[in-house]
Amino acid sequence: MKTPKFGQRQIADRKPSTRASCDLYSRARLVNTGTNHGNTKCTMRERITFVHGAEDAFDPKQLQIQHDFFHIKSLKAAREDRVTASLYELPQELWRALKQCHELHVRWVSERPFPSIVPFVSTTSPGLHISFTPIKDRSADLLCPLLLKVFGGRPKCTIPEDTFTGLPVLSERFASSAAYQYYELLPSLKELVTYIQQKVCADNVLCKGRADALNQAEYVDIDYDTISQSLVISAFWHSNATTGSWDEQIDNQGGSVKIEVGVLANEKATRPEELSLGGFLAVLGEDIKLNPTLFSFPSRHHLSPPTSGTNYSTAFIQPIGLHPTLRLTLPPSTTPPAPDCALHSYLTLPSSLFPDRYQLSSQNLLASNNLHSIRSLSGETDLEAPNWAVSAWGSALLLELAPPKTRSAQWHADIPLHLRYLLPTNGGSTNTSIPWPIIFWACSSDEGTKMNTNPFDRVNLGYDGLFGPRTMYYHLQPTNAGQQLVEDLKVPVLDMNEAKVKWVEAGTVVVVLLGFLWVCWTLGRVVAKDFGWEKGTGRRKKD
């Protein structure tokens, strides 16, 4: 795979985005019915989807529709909200920055573990992931200041040319992912919530309440591309964080926003690559009763079946030191979902940690740690640079794992990493953190499978651009007993305690001075020998 330099990839060689600005459930409905629902020229639109499990008691009487209002009572379900706005409905500073981007994709994932429910099973490591492609021959100097203002966090993002790293591509002509990526750990979205409430909501109380709900979201996606000229914001909640069930009234705000609501449940699909959903749909302001629906669609993301392993855990082997080893613990039942599937792990590493490409190229080391090979390594991989000299955010590593042939209990895959030299502190230690990696089976699908007909499709997750466009992913779920999906490391550094530092400084000066004198003395002896000076007389020897 080739990793482009900044500005190298040509946007003319890229396929148009498969994400349309006005999609509600229409992509799946078009496939199943062959009809077009609604006008493709739209302003602000919203899709609200509830998916309840088979174990959740559901009665259609919990739903009531009254033209402009949709009432939900005590509904236990996962929820996804998706809002689509045209570019010029956004604050000026926002659309000015977006106009510098050919495409921009933001993925934020909570550090809290949460169970997945079909069709919302795609995932990536906790934190803030940003991928974008610049417009050719145009500076994106407004991007980093906007990101810092909207998301807060550490001031690592300065200018994209220095901070972002190139994504490896399978094909320059048929690349389906953005050109560059950025990552940082971001525990919460409080800065984003504040920005929306102040810049977008103004005095709209309902808007402010909806924005505040993002603080409890499991993940949030933001997408923009120049083809659609629209910004799409999606948020997912596994359940109501306060009560465990949804009790609310949804209205279409006087017709200013077109809202479609779906209450769905998973049905048995007829093909392995497909998902099937059934339930009720309604468009507020248009429908006077709930419309039953049943539709199927191919999906690139699935839950790993029980025979292929359903969960995993991550921890550093103790003691940690300056060369920590990340251990992945997997269940004994890890049989591939299909013969052509391979088990992978995708690591997102901040700049304080890095893998050694040459070390991970040793077949003996790979075999002893249940690793197969490096599939991709991009980002900052300088083996010698200290952390304060690294301008890029870090590195991304895709590894293929090698499950042992015989296993009756849990097995481990160990990944050797290395810590950079970090800035000194008072006390002689500092902390750094690494998000849990993700683990999935990557399998091929049939040649004619059209993944972009999935109305819940998620792309630009970092790893999906490293595979073909029809790859299917079977995800294992992280299990951490309710703890955060982030590993914290205590790293030894230079102690800035005044007394100790003075001794270090004085010792350094003495050693350097002694070394300088020794070099001078050695050179003097060589010069004297070459010119033949008589020892002790100060006179040159005669020939």
Side-chain angles (χ1 to χ4, degrees), residues 337-369:
D340 62 343
C341 297
L343 189 61
H344 292 80
S345 180
Y346 184 73
L347 291 82
T348 308
L349 303 171
S351 60
S352 55
L353 281 157
F354 66 94
D356 185 343
R357 180 192 299 272
Y358 306 102
Q359 182 184 22
L360 290 173
S361 298
S362 168
Q363 292 301 315
N364 290 333
L365 181 140
L366 292 171
S368 63
N369 289 313

Side-chain angles (χ1 to χ4, degrees), residues 17-32:
S17 172
T18 58
R19 186 184 299 276
S21 63
C22 299
D23 280 351
L24 297 181
Y25 303 99
S26 57
R27 279 187 286 182
R29 294 165 69 175
L30 282 167
V31 170
N32 285 273

Side-chain angles (χ1 to χ4, degrees), residues 269-431:
T270 57
R271 302 181 64 180
E273 71 274 13
E274 289 188 342
L275 301 178
S276 184
L277 295 173
F280 301 93
L281 301 179
V283 179
L284 301 191
E286 297 181 10
D287 296 327
I288 59 174
K289 64 177 183 179
L290 297 173
N291 299 310
T293 186
L294 176 65
F295 56 94
S296 301
F297 47 86
S299 177
R300 68 182 86 242
H301 296 284
H302 301 260
L303 288 174
S304 179
T307 56
S308 302
T310 58
N311 52 64
Y312 68 97
S313 62
T314 299
F316 280 104
I317 298 177
Q318 301 293 332
I320 294 175
L322 292 175
H323 304 279
T325 299
L326 188 67
R327 167 161 287 183
L328 311 178
T329 302
L330 296 102
S333 55
T334 47
T335 303
D340 62 343
C341 297
L343 189 61
H344 292 80
S345 180
Y346 184 73
L347 291 82
T348 308
L349 303 171
S351 60
S352 55
L353 281 157
F354 66 94
D356 185 343
R357 180 192 299 272
Y358 306 102
Q359 182 184 22
L360 290 173
S361 298
S362 168
Q363 292 301 315
N364 290 333
L365 181 140
L366 292 171
S368 63
N369 289 313
N370 292 324
L371 305 175
H372 181 274
S373 60
I374 296 179
R375 290 306 185 190
S376 173
L377 176 58
S378 63
E380 187 58 66
T381 56
D382 190 318
L383 304 182
E384 304 296 335
N387 196 46
W388 59 83
V390 173
S391 59
W393 64 268
S395 56
L397 173 65
L398 177 66
L399 283 169
E400 182 178 338
L401 308 184
K405 293 182 179 179
T406 57
R407 49 189 184 274
S408 57
Q410 291 181 333
W411 61 278
H412 308 290
D414 296 337
I415 305 172
L417 300 172
H418 306 275
L419 281 161
R420 297 190 185 278
Y421 293 113
L422 305 180
L423 289 171
T425 63
N426 291 321
S429 65
T430 188
N431 295 320

Side-chain angles (χ1 to χ4, degrees), residues 147-342:
L147 294 175
L148 293 174
K149 186 174 183 179
V150 173
F151 294 102
R154 300 172 300 169
K156 186 75 174 178
C157 185
T158 53
I159 57 175
E161 290 88 341
D162 293 338
T163 310
F164 282 67
T165 59
L167 277 166
V169 290
L170 294 170
S171 168
E172 287 286 349
R173 182 165 182 79
F174 300 105
S176 59
S177 64
Y180 306 100
Q181 66 176 340
Y182 172 82
Y183 170 82
E184 72 171 77
L185 281 168
L186 190 68
S188 75
L189 291 177
K190 60 181 181 180
E191 295 291 339
L192 173 64
V193 170
T194 301
Y195 182 87
I196 294 175
Q197 291 176 338
Q198 293 179 353
K199 299 291 185 179
V200 178
C201 295
D203 297 326
N204 189 322
V205 177
L206 177 62
C207 175
K208 289 184 177 181
R210 295 286 299 278
D212 188 63
L214 295 178
N215 284 314
Q216 284 78 45
E218 267 74 45
Y219 67 73
V220 173
D221 293 351
I222 302 175
D223 294 280
Y224 166 79
D225 65 81
T226 55
I227 298 173
S228 67
Q229 291 284 296
S230 297
L231 187 75
V232 181
I233 302 178
S234 305
F236 171 78
W237 298 263
H238 178 263
S239 62
N240 188 314
T242 304
T243 63
S245 61
W246 303 98
D247 290 272
E248 63 181 275
Q249 175 178 292
I250 302 170
D251 68 81
N252 69 349
Q253 303 176 41
S256 61
V257 180
K258 184 172 183 178
I259 300 178
E260 184 171 2
V261 182
V263 180
L264 307 170
N266 283 284
E267 304 288 344
K268 185 175 178 60
T270 57
R271 302 181 64 180
E273 71 274 13
E274 289 188 342
L275 301 178
S276 184
L277 295 173
F280 301 93
L281 301 179
V283 179
L284 301 191
E286 297 181 10
D287 296 327
I288 59 174
K289 64 177 183 179
L290 297 173
N291 299 310
T293 186
L294 176 65
F295 56 94
S296 301
F297 47 86
S299 177
R300 68 182 86 242
H301 296 284
H302 301 260
L303 288 174
S304 179
T307 56
S308 302
T310 58
N311 52 64
Y312 68 97
S313 62
T314 299
F316 280 104
I317 298 177
Q318 301 293 332
I320 294 175
L322 292 175
H323 304 279
T325 299
L326 188 67
R327 167 161 287 183
L328 311 178
T329 302
L330 296 102
S333 55
T334 47
T335 303
D340 62 343
C341 297

Side-chain angles (χ1 to χ4, degrees), residues 504-518:
V504 172
E505 290 177 349
T508 302
V509 171
V510 171
V511 170
V512 171
L513 181 59
L514 290 175
F516 175 73
L517 294 174
W518 180 81

Side-chain angles (χ1 to χ4, degrees), residues 9-16 102 133 136 172-173:
R9 191 181 302 181
Q10 306 295 315
I11 62 172
D13 290 336
R14 296 177 47 73
K15 286 185 176 181
H102 178 68
T133 302
K136 185 180 179 182
E172 287 286 349
R173 182 165 182 79

